[in-house]
Amino acid sequence: MKGKILVAVQFGCILALLIFTRWLLLPWWSYLLLAVSFALAMWAMVVMKVGNFNVVPTPVYHGRLVTQGPYRLIRHPMYTAVFIFSSALLAGQFDYIKLIISVLLVAGLVVKMLHEENLLCSHYPGYRTYMNDTKRVIPFVW
């Protein structure tokens, strides 16, 4: 249940950011960041493969631990992609409504990420070792 609530918060915030953005008024570099975000998300999904991917933080029952592609450097490239997406829209067209939405989005994703890591540690015996070898969302930093 907790996972579904966190996913609802995540997608609700993303939808709100989409609605509150004046798309034709974004600077060029916001579109560049959005392209980077999209490319990272697509790369992560291709490496994860169909059947191993789950929107809710619960691991797929017969899934496998993926540690190649972007997962070599960071454990949560999909979250990184969402952080880049949010940053592109907020920095490219700052307003306080989008700031509040972005703070809620980041807070929800951090809680979801921590919850997901607890579940992954229980599901995959090698996940703790993988955690020690990689950063969460920013390569070499966090």
Side-chain angles (χ1 to χ4, degrees):
M1 183 65 169
K2 180 179 182 179
K4 289 180 182 179
I5 292 169
L6 292 169
V7 169
V9 168
Q10 174 186 347
F11 282 99
C13 288
I14 290 170
L15 179 62
L17 285 172
L18 292 171
I19 290 169
F20 285 105
T21 297
R22 294 179 306 274
W23 290 94
L24 298 177
L25 300 178
L26 284 173
W28 67 268
W29 52 265
S30 285
Y31 293 107
L32 181 63
L33 284 174
L34 290 170
V36 168
S37 170
F38 181 76
L40 178 58
M42 291 299 103
W43 184 25
M45 286 194 289
V46 166
V47 170
M48 180 68 70
K49 300 213 180 356
V50 175
N52 204 41
F53 181 78
N54 199 359
V55 175
V56 293
T58 309
V60 176
Y61 181 70
H62 291 295
R64 64 177 177 79
L65 179 59
V66 177
T67 60
Q68 64 270 17
Y71 296 93
R72 271 189 332 251
L73 299 172
I74 50 178
R75 297 191 299 270
H76 303 285
M78 294 299 292
Y79 294 102
T80 302
V82 174
F83 291 149
I84 294 169
F85 167 84
S86 173
S87 299
L89 296 184
L90 178 63
Q93 200 174 78
F94 181 85
D95 66 51
Y96 289 105
I97 292 172
K98 283 200 291 195
L99 175 63
I100 292 166
I101 295 166
S102 294
V103 167
L104 288 172
L105 176 60
V106 169
L109 286 176
V110 168
V111 170
K112 182 180 170 196
M113 194 180 335
L114 297 173
H115 176 61
E116 182 175 1
E117 287 187 339
N118 286 331
L119 296 173
L120 290 168
C121 284
S122 299
H123 190 76
Y124 297 111
Y127 197 79
R128 287 220 185 268
T129 302
Y130 174 62
M131 286 176 69
N132 293 330
D133 295 340
T134 56
K135 298 297 183 183
R136 273 194 179 105
V137 291
I138 304 171
F140 314 110
V141 179
W142 180 66

